[in-house]
Amino acid sequence: MIKLYGYWRSSASYRVRIALELMGVDYDYVSVNLRTAEHRSGDYLAKNPQGLVPMLEFSDGTQLTQSLAILDYMDSEFEGPKLLPRDPIARAQIIAAASIVACDTAPIQNLRVLKYIRAEHDQDDAGVKAWAAHWIADGLSKLEKTLALDSYAFVGSQDPGYLECVLIPQIYNAERWGVDMSRFPILSGINSHCLALEAIQRALPENQPDAG
Amino acid sequence: MIKLYGYWRSSASYRVRIALELMGVDYDYVSVNLRTAEHRSGDYLAKNPQGLVPMLEFSDGTQLTQSLAILDYMDSEFEGPKLLPRDPIARAQIIAAASIVACDTAPIQNLRVLKYIRAEHDQDDAGVKAWAAHWIADGLSKLEKTLALDSYAFVGSQDPGYLECVLIPQIYNAERWGVDMSRFPILSGINSHCLALEAIQRALPENQPDAG
């Protein structure tokens, strides 16, 4: 059985959970508690010296890290519905749209960055919230405008996949940090559609065994 | 002829220049001056509402954005040496290693983030430098440890590709911000090897028409 090392509130773990559920893959969930720094413990670092989740582990011991690499691998190697379009231009457009979130947004409002600005830049709760909300709104605004292009019209008519794996966790964070999602009607529409699906409900942070 | 919209000092533009040169693709270079905010001008935003470089434009008008999406497209669709390994596990490992840079490092020390901490967190030159150096060293340290794993031994024996497209620009930034690269012997070795190649020399920031 495949093992997913993750944490309920990690966005990158949530991406991979959505992908596993959309593709109908059975897996064991291994919680790595980021709050108690299990990801920086010797046991976990020996497996993954990046000290990050998620990590996917196959029964032969092969380990894959980094959510985008895992999604790419799953799309090409796993049975089940595909995560990426077969058309090369549409594929590139989806990867580009997901990169607006995965490269230009999520990393800047990551927990370790928030901890740093609190400690090193003397930011209080309001300052931390302002930082997270600023970068999330900036990224989602770029994505909303991109998905509004004619060349992205196909996104609305296809089943959730790679883009949604990355987007749904980002919107979860947006709501957590008080970003006004009504500014982003295309993204909000995708989110509502996805959250109504049983597969994505199984992947929700609050439905994980380590939630709390 | 393919057009690359880029800026000499943009890391993400530099990634795509390296890929084009490694694959032997002829292209026209269109400078988008980030310093004078050409990327936020109406003309450029009409093409790319993200307001970011790089963008690749084909002669039929099709436009691809986001460096990782462009590299993925080039690898699967362009003639010439491939950027990614054909073996699925090796491919996933390379994408994961590149993600340590492209997702976990580069975005946090991006120019717009540095501008924000200067303006909103009252950081002076020393504070900005400390921020950039901290996150670059953190990311490169994770990458160095990852490439030291037995499962990554193959990296040293293959031609430069996807990983090097992302790594060489990050090391350029590391040196610019005073990160001590002697801490990272594996990465330094890859960098020295790559910088000796004519293809990569053509892609260097200082060898672009808009450098200065």
Side-chain angles (χ1 to χ4, degrees), chain A residues 66 72 91 112 121 138, chain B residues 72 91 104 112 121 138:
Chain A
Q66 290 283 343
D72 179 90
R91 173 187 169 98
R112 64 209 178 97
H121 293 180
D138 181 74
Chain B
D72 180 90
R91 173 187 169 98
D104 294 337
R112 64 208 178 96
H121 292 179
D138 181 74

Side-chain angles (χ1 to χ4, degrees), chain A residues 15 46-52 58 62-66 68-70 72-73 76-77 88-89 91-93 95-97 99-100 102-105 107-108 110 112-113 116-117 120-121 123 127 130-131 134-135 138-139 141-143 145-146 149 152, chain B residues 15 46-52 58 62-66 68-70 72-73 76-77 88-89 91-93 95-97 99-100 102-105 107-108 110 112-113 116-117 120-121 123 127 130-131 134-135 138-139 141-143 145-146 149 152:
Chain A
R15 293 174 192 163
K47 284 175 184 283
N48 179 1
Q50 297 167 50
L52 299 169
F58 300 132
T62 302
Q63 292 160 340
L64 301 183
T65 64
Q66 290 283 343
L68 299 187
I70 293 171
D72 179 90
Y73 181 90
S76 72
E77 302 303 315
I89 295 288
R91 173 187 169 98
Q93 286 176 290
I95 296 176
S99 296
I100 298 174
C103 300
D104 294 338
T105 310
I108 310 176
N110 193 290
R112 64 209 178 97
V113 175
Y116 187 95
I117 63 169
E120 304 293 331
H121 293 180
Q123 295 297 304
W131 170 277
H134 170 80
W135 293 111
D138 181 74
S141 171
K142 288 180 167 74
L143 180 59
K145 287 177 197 154
T146 298
L149 294 170
Y152 274 93
Chain B
R15 292 174 192 163
K47 285 175 183 284
N48 178 1
Q50 296 166 49
L52 300 170
F58 300 131
T62 303
Q63 292 159 339
L64 302 183
T65 64
Q66 289 283 343
L68 299 187
I70 293 172
D72 180 90
Y73 181 89
S76 71
E77 301 304 314
I89 294 288
R91 173 187 169 98
Q93 286 176 289
I95 296 175
S99 296
I100 299 174
C103 300
D104 294 337
T105 310
I108 310 175
N110 193 291
R112 64 208 178 96
V113 176
Y116 187 96
I117 62 168
E120 304 294 330
H121 292 179
Q123 295 296 305
W131 171 277
H134 171 80
W135 293 111
D138 181 74
S141 169
K142 289 181 166 74
L143 180 59
K145 287 177 197 153
T146 298
L149 294 170
Y152 274 93

Side-chain angles (χ1 to χ4, degrees), chain A residues 23-177:
Chain A
M23 296 185 80
V25 178
D26 271 339
Y27 67 99
D28 279 333
Y29 182 75
V30 183
S31 174
V32 180
N33 193 327
L34 304 189
R35 207 173 290 166
T36 59
E38 271 183 17
H39 57 307
R40 291 198 301 268
S41 72
D43 280 359
Y44 188 70
L45 285 178
K47 284 175 184 283
N48 179 1
Q50 297 167 50
L52 299 169
V53 287
M55 181 172 70
L56 210 60
E57 187 176 81
F58 300 132
S59 46
D60 71 356
T62 302
Q63 292 160 340
L64 301 183
T65 64
Q66 290 283 343
S67 59
L68 299 187
I70 293 171
L71 297 188
D72 179 90
Y73 181 90
M74 289 177 63
D75 178 68
S76 72
E77 302 303 315
F78 282 16
E79 311 262 318
K82 290 297 179 187
L83 299 173
L84 281 160
R86 298 299 98 183
D87 173 69
I89 295 288
R91 173 187 169 98
Q93 286 176 290
I94 291 293
I95 296 176
S99 296
I100 298 174
V101 173
C103 300
D104 294 338
T105 310
I108 310 176
Q109 52 88 72
N110 193 290
L111 182 60
R112 64 209 178 97
V113 175
L114 302 183
K115 278 187 179 168
Y116 187 95
I117 63 169
R118 190 184 286 276
E120 304 293 331
H121 293 180
D122 296 324
Q123 295 297 304
D124 58 10
D125 286 352
V128 168
K129 184 176 177 181
W131 170 277
H134 170 80
W135 293 111
I136 295 171
D138 181 74
L140 293 183
S141 171
K142 288 180 167 74
L143 180 59
E144 177 83 14
K145 287 177 197 154
T146 298
L147 295 188
L149 294 170
D150 288 345
S151 56
Y152 274 93
F154 71 94
V155 171
S157 64
Q158 60 173 21
D159 289 332
Y162 189 95
L163 174 59
E164 287 78 4
C165 289
V166 174
L167 177 60
I168 303 307
Q170 188 62 65
I171 296 179
Y172 173 86
N173 275 352
E175 290 172 342
R176 193 174 158 202
W177 290 109

Side-chain angles (χ1 to χ4, degrees), chain A residues 8-9 14 17 172 201 203-212:
Chain A
W8 69 288
R9 228 168 193 177
Y14 188 5
R17 289 199 305 268
Y172 173 86
Q201 286 168 11
L204 288 174
E206 58 265 33
N207 291 340
Q208 305 316 304
D210 56 345

